[in-house]
Amino acid sequence: MDARYSLIPTVEKETDPVTLIVHRTEDTHEQLELLLAVEGAKTLKLVPGRDLNGAKIMMRAGASFSRHSGVRLSNGFNVVDPSAWHRQGIGTVALNLMIEWAKRLHPDADVRPVELKRYKQGIEGDDPRLAFYRRFNLQWNLADQDQDAVNLLSVPMTVRDLQTAPLSARLTRLP
């Protein structure tokens, strides 16, 4: 286990702090893979193959590097599951760790554009995912987006321009 955090969730029926566990399954020059799990939550059921030593895996996150295409801040599907646990700070912890990894190993590399599936035309400005990623200095020029595109793409940037985001006051790193 890499890190443990005390988390005071705002999830309905969760009245006590739980423990967020971050486990690095791979940390090399080319790849970072993380498992983020919650221990002690009353509303979560453990599922064989989806737990980490008795903690419910909420997110499998990762970043990778290619000398041809730069740093990718996703392993394809970085999403907290179940959705009732969105907005608890779990995604912020994961993305902060991916950015720290990229800055440590590849500060001058390009960041591959982050792709967000477009759900509805014309509501991009209100999309909470954009607000989340903007906290890390990722930007979208919505005026430049192809109106027929399936995905919204972030503006090109280098790893050096990324920033980590502050953690919620409900998260405290444990020793």
Side-chain angles (χ1 to χ4, degrees):
M1 313 258 174
D2 257 70
R4 296 170 73 84
Y5 297 81
S6 174
L7 169 60
I8 302 169
T10 59
V11 176
E12 190 176 330
K13 297 182 184 172
E14 290 292 344
T15 56
D16 297 324
V18 298
T19 303
L20 172 65
I21 300 167
V22 179
H23 179 68
R24 290 178 196 248
T25 57
E26 187 165 351
D27 187 348
T28 66
H29 185 75
E30 290 82 25
Q31 190 165 330
L32 174 69
E33 290 291 331
L34 305 168
L35 294 176
L36 289 94
V38 172
E39 181 179 66
K42 298 176 188 114
T43 61
L44 297 173
K45 295 178 182 150
L46 293 178
V47 178
R50 298 182 119 192
D51 68 336
L52 178 68
N53 300 324
K56 169 84 162 110
I57 295 174
M58 306 293 283
M59 178 184 226
R60 296 176 192 273
S64 60
F65 171 75
S66 161
R67 62 186 171 106
H68 301 294
S69 58
V71 168
R72 183 174 185 203
L73 293 174
S74 173
N75 57 1
F77 197 68
N78 293 353
V79 175
V80 173
D81 180 37
S83 63
W85 282 79
H86 288 185
R87 298 184 174 268
Q88 302 303 307
I90 297 168
T92 300
V93 169
L95 197 50
N96 278 347
L97 291 170
M98 290 184 275
I99 288 171
E100 289 168 1
W101 170 85
K103 285 186 162 228
R104 178 172 40 95
L105 296 173
H106 310 288
D108 298 317
D110 291 329
V111 176
R112 285 178 54 184
V114 172
E115 296 183 43
L116 298 177
K117 182 172 175 58
R118 176 180 269 155
Y119 291 117
K120 293 182 183 174
Q121 299 290 3
I123 65 161
E124 285 86 9
D126 294 333
D127 191 323
R129 299 171 301 163
L130 294 176
F132 171 78
Y133 283 109
R134 285 180 175 136
R135 295 175 46 224
F136 303 92
N137 205 30
L138 288 153
Q139 300 297 318
W140 276 258
N141 183 345
L142 298 178
D144 273 358
Q145 299 289 327
D146 179 352
Q147 294 302 310
D148 296 327
V150 174
N151 295 323
L152 298 170
L153 299 175
S154 63
V155 173
M157 66 185 305
T158 63
V159 168
R160 188 175 309 285
D161 295 325
L162 291 168
Q163 63 190 29
T164 56
L167 295 180
S168 163
R170 294 179 289 107
L171 269 168
T172 306
R173 183 150 183 177
L174 299 171

